[in-house]
Amino acid sequence: MADSTKSADFALDLRGHRIVWSRAIVDVLADEISAAGIQRFLLISSDELARHFDAVGGNDAKRLSGGRFTDVVPHVPEASVVGAVEAARNCDADGLLVFGGGSSLDTAKAVSDRLGLPIIAIPTNFSGSEVTWNFGLTANGVKHTVRNPAVLPKTIIYDHSLLGSLPLDVAVCSGINAVAHAIEALYAPQANPLTQSLAETGIRKMVAGLQELAASKGQSDQAAVLCLTGSWLCGEVLSQVGMGLHHRICHVLGGTFGLPHAQTHTVLLPYSVDWNFDHAAALAQLSGLFPGRSLARGLAELSIRLGAPPTLKSLGLTTAQIPAVARLVLETPVANPRPVAVGDVHAILAQAYAGDLAAK
């Protein structure tokens, strides 16, 4: 097992952005748009969330809106990015305002990557993408990760009141997706004291928040604050380290086989943790997170109890597809604390397909 306490050399480039915390967006948005030097923004959101933005954004912000792009597609296929770029050009936008989750944020980053426009982000779930400078892009059926420091949103506004209408099953998958970012960060090759502290704290905040959210049936402001804090910290960690085997598998399942992003992370994470636990000493510090349960079992039981899908089968994967997924995952090398071969990936997928941890 790797020694997580061993001192290691590292270089850390902290990414700069402005965080506006726990303020109603109607009170701060117009000033933040002005401070960012944006005079005409393109709103990037889903249809439903764009209507919600109209209700909560305020008239001052609406005056600065040049147009909107609502054809956001999960896993950000190239065609949707082309459409968003065209929308930004057509309205002469000098900035992008994102109101939504990971798909909207990644779409905005892809536009920023091509046009050099600054981003203001208002997250409505726990993807954490608002504080990272990488984004997923799917081309020719393959999802790639693009890294560009210039696409890091300039300002992030966290308003926990926006989470009140988030369904519990959506919240748990979004939250466990955030936990997945931090868990892989604990044993990433680039891990350092800052990232490990952020990761552990972010995981604990998110798990506590999800548990309280469930106990209150979504009515607890404190739960929303805990979850949003966990999301922020887990996202900050992801901006500092690389992704590993768990994310690679999820990107193949999503980008190539069309499985939903957050739900796939939620189903797969306990099996990734189970595979790596005895080979990643940093995971041991989370051993008591679920009293009387292993970390892997606790994650599986929590997510299913809160309404998440139980298996990859329930997400639409077939047994016939598993060999192809396993092969594609290791077409290029991937960082992982435990040596992994195609047969090992096949075994992880087969367990997640059957729901072995959930059934015990």
Side-chain angles (χ1 to χ4, degrees):
M1 180 185 289
D3 183 0
S4 63
T5 64
K6 183 179 178 181
S7 178
D9 295 333
F10 62 88
L12 182 63
D13 295 317
L14 295 175
R15 322 298 176 192
H17 43 224
R18 175 174 169 80
I19 303 294
V20 180
W21 183 259
S22 203
R23 299 280 300 278
I25 63 172
V26 69
D27 294 334
V28 299
L29 182 54
D31 287 343
E32 294 302 328
I33 293 171
S34 177
I38 297 173
Q39 298 181 348
R40 188 177 179 85
F41 67 79
L42 174 72
L43 176 69
I44 297 181
S45 189
S46 68
D47 276 325
E48 180 181 357
L49 285 173
R51 290 192 293 271
H52 190 35
F53 174 79
D54 290 338
V56 300
N59 291 327
D60 289 339
K62 289 178 189 175
R63 286 189 296 98
L64 300 173
S65 175
R68 58 186 57 195
F69 178 81
T70 58
D71 293 330
V72 172
V73 180
H75 305 297
V76 195
E78 174 70 21
S80 70
V81 176
V82 171
V85 167
E86 183 179 358
R89 286 174 169 157
N90 286 343
C91 72
D92 294 323
D94 62 354
L96 306 170
L97 177 64
V98 185
F99 188 79
S103 296
S104 295
L105 283 156
D106 277 12
T107 300
K109 290 177 186 176
V111 174
S112 177
D113 184 53
R114 299 177 190 200
L115 300 182
L117 300 179
I119 300 171
I120 292 179
I122 305 173
T124 59
N125 64 17
F126 310 132
S127 77
S129 182
E130 68 275 3
V131 290
T132 71
W133 55 285
N134 48 265
F135 60 94
L137 179 67
T138 301
N140 300 317
V142 179
K143 187 172 184 178
H144 304 278
T145 298
V146 182
R147 299 174 70 85
N148 176 4
V151 307
L152 179 71
K154 188 178 185 71
T155 302
I156 301 97
I157 302 172
Y158 286 110
D159 178 358
H160 73 270
S161 70
L162 297 175
L163 305 176
S165 61
L166 195 64
L168 185 57
D169 61 333
V170 175
V172 66
C173 290
S174 183
I176 299 299
N177 178 29
V179 169
H181 301 331
I183 279 183
E184 284 217 308
L186 284 171
Y187 50 71
Q190 305 89 350
N192 59 68
L194 174 64
T195 61
Q196 290 188 323
S197 295
L198 287 174
E200 182 180 357
T201 303
I203 292 166
R204 293 186 182 279
K205 293 282 189 182
M206 180 60 76
V207 169
L210 290 175
Q211 291 171 328
E212 186 169 332
L213 203 64
S216 68
K217 301 189 186 310
Q219 300 305 306
S220 167
D221 283 347
Q222 178 62 20
V225 171
L226 281 169
C227 288
L228 211 54
T229 303
S231 170
W232 171 32
L233 298 180
C234 292
E236 291 284 7
V237 172
L238 184 62
S239 74
Q240 302 296 334
V241 301
M243 293 179 281
L245 177 66
H246 171 81
H247 278 78
R248 174 72 62 77
I249 296 174
C250 290
H251 282 186
V252 172
L253 288 170
T256 304
F257 293 86
L259 271 63
H261 180 78
Q263 292 91 329
T264 300
H265 275 279
T266 301
V267 171
L268 187 69
L269 183 62
Y271 302 93
S272 302
V273 167
D274 195 45
W275 170 258
N276 282 319
F277 191 85
D278 291 335
H279 297 258
L283 292 177
Q285 62 203 42
L286 297 172
S287 294
L289 192 59
F290 301 99
R293 294 286 188 271
S294 69
L295 177 60
R297 182 79 61 80
L299 286 167
E301 291 180 351
L302 172 68
S303 61
I304 293 169
R305 178 166 57 86
L306 301 190
T311 65
L312 291 180
K313 180 180 180 180
S314 68
L315 296 181
L317 189 72
T318 67
T319 54
Q321 292 171 321
I322 290 177
V325 177
R327 185 182 69 254
L328 289 170
V329 164
L330 294 184
E331 276 194 339
T332 56
V334 61
N336 194 66
R338 180 178 180 179
V340 60
V342 171
D344 300 320
V345 179
H346 190 293
I348 294 169
L349 289 165
Q351 291 169 357
Y353 177 88
D356 287 355
L357 285 171
K360 293 179 181 178

